[in-house]
Amino acid sequence: MTEYPKFAVIGGGSWATAIAKMLCVNLPEISWYMRNESAIEHLQTHHHNPNYLSSVEFDIKKLKLTSNINEAVAYADYIIFAIPSAFLGSELKKLTQSLEGKVIFSAIKGIVPETSLIVGEHFNKIYNIPFEDIGVITGPCHAEEVALERLSYLTIACGDAAKARIVAKCLSGNYIKAKISDDIIGTEYAAMLKNIYAIAAGMAHGLGYGDNFQSVLMSNGIREMKKFIRKVHKMKRNINNSAYLGDLLVTGYSVFSRNRMFGNMIGKGYTVKSAMMEMSMVAEGYYATKSAWELNQNYGAKTPIIDAVYEILYEGKEAKKVFKKLTDKLD
């Protein structure tokens, strides 16, 4: 690319690492913020992230690494946030650099706990970023498969189609196909909800349910997602597109899915605390479950799967009994 906006990636985890890898294919330079200074030092010396996707080798000359979020924001025209939603608020508190005039893209699949808003709405309402300067990066795409350079698909949603095309072009490559969408609210809610259904799928597996039940659970999950999103943001959308159904399926079935792994542990009898301690990565669906359940108290969509996961995770009900009741509510 001869002309390009300057990009910054915010986050040091697996998805941030995958996004940095994709951008480095097309751009001569990116800024990359990590709060972990030892990880930055390791990257500078050994050219790979020591903690996530360590097989990915970076051309260090393309990376402006920093542990100061303000340096990354000052550098960039386009800022991609790829940190767990639970930590977004604390990172943004470090900002002294204005976000005015910046284009913000969220690769976060969750709700901001402090405001109970999806990330795009959070930036719009709290930081007054207009929706035409806000976008979402969704799958179906696991960071681990990006590292392996397996063919993957992205959906880039933004109110301004030109900005969506810029991001899609900068992320595309031989093994990455990116398409654009104007459903910024729907795709972001789908990215959040699919993690809850993946936890449910993991719970079912941990409890000993087989593939037959899993297929019923997922087919009910996509219909439940459709009802929920329609209540939140009514517009014409095809829920069977990859940004919705595709992302749900890969998160519900993949061995790389941390939310499915978390649910599987709960189904096998782990407590929430013990499951979280054993996992080295955040299961976004845990936080999303509470937010979705609370939001739905106002919307009133019929969501038996979300309700079941909430009862197990937040009300301490026995997974076996909750799922026995759930099986009678699915068709």
Side-chain angles (χ1 to χ4, degrees), residues 148-254:
L148 294 168
E149 299 192 358
R150 291 177 177 170
L151 182 61
S152 302
Y153 291 73
L154 294 173
T155 299
I156 315 300
C158 184
D160 184 335
K163 289 166 184 164
R165 281 192 288 270
I166 287 171
V167 175
K169 187 174 182 180
C170 290
L171 291 172
S172 295
N174 291 336
Y175 55 93
I176 300 292
K177 295 183 182 296
K179 69 172 187 177
I180 69 169
S181 167
D182 62 351
D183 186 15
I184 178 174
I185 302 295
T187 53
E188 190 165 5
Y189 268 103
M192 179 266 286
L193 292 168
K194 54 98 175 182
N195 288 332
I196 305 172
Y197 301 124
I199 289 177
M203 287 177 172
H205 185 266
L207 289 166
Y209 288 90
D211 292 343
N212 293 338
F213 177 74
Q214 291 276 7
S215 66
V216 173
L217 183 68
M218 289 293 99
S219 64
N220 277 263
I222 193 62
R223 282 178 278 159
E224 186 171 304
M225 178 188 288
K226 182 178 181 180
K227 292 173 186 175
F228 188 103
I229 296 175
R230 185 188 291 157
K231 289 277 188 179
V232 175
H233 182 61
K234 191 172 183 179
M235 69 172 282
K236 188 176 180 180
R237 63 174 62 87
N238 185 353
I239 204 73
N240 295 321
N241 282 346
S242 59
Y244 315 96
L245 178 59
D247 210 6
L248 170 65
L249 292 177
V250 74
T251 310
Y253 287 120
S254 176

Side-chain angles (χ1 to χ4, degrees), residues 48-119:
H48 66 85
N49 188 336
N51 302 313
Y52 301 94
L53 306 188
S54 56
S55 65
V56 176
E57 293 285 334
F58 286 94
D59 178 354
I60 203 68
K61 295 176 183 176
K62 289 192 170 189
L63 302 179
K64 288 181 68 68
L65 295 162
T66 179
S67 60
N68 185 336
I69 192 172
N70 289 291
E71 287 182 5
V73 169
Y75 166 88
D77 305 305
Y78 282 59
I79 306 166
I80 299 176
F81 284 85
I83 56 179
S85 59
F87 306 140
L88 179 63
S90 60
E91 289 298 326
L92 291 175
K93 284 180 182 177
K94 300 174 183 177
L95 278 180
T96 54
Q97 181 73 33
S98 174
L99 292 173
E100 186 178 354
K102 306 291 184 180
V103 179
I104 307 294
F105 269 78
S106 168
I108 301 170
K109 282 95 174 168
I111 293 280
V112 183
E114 293 88 345
T115 57
S116 294
L117 297 171
I118 54 175
V119 176

Side-chain angles (χ1 to χ4, degrees), residues 261-281:
M261 184 191 305
F262 176 73
N264 186 50
M265 294 168 75
I266 300 296
K268 289 187 174 184
Y270 283 73
T271 64
V272 169
K273 186 176 181 180
S274 62
M276 285 185 161
M277 287 177 66
E278 187 153 322
M279 290 182 64
S280 61
M281 297 182 287

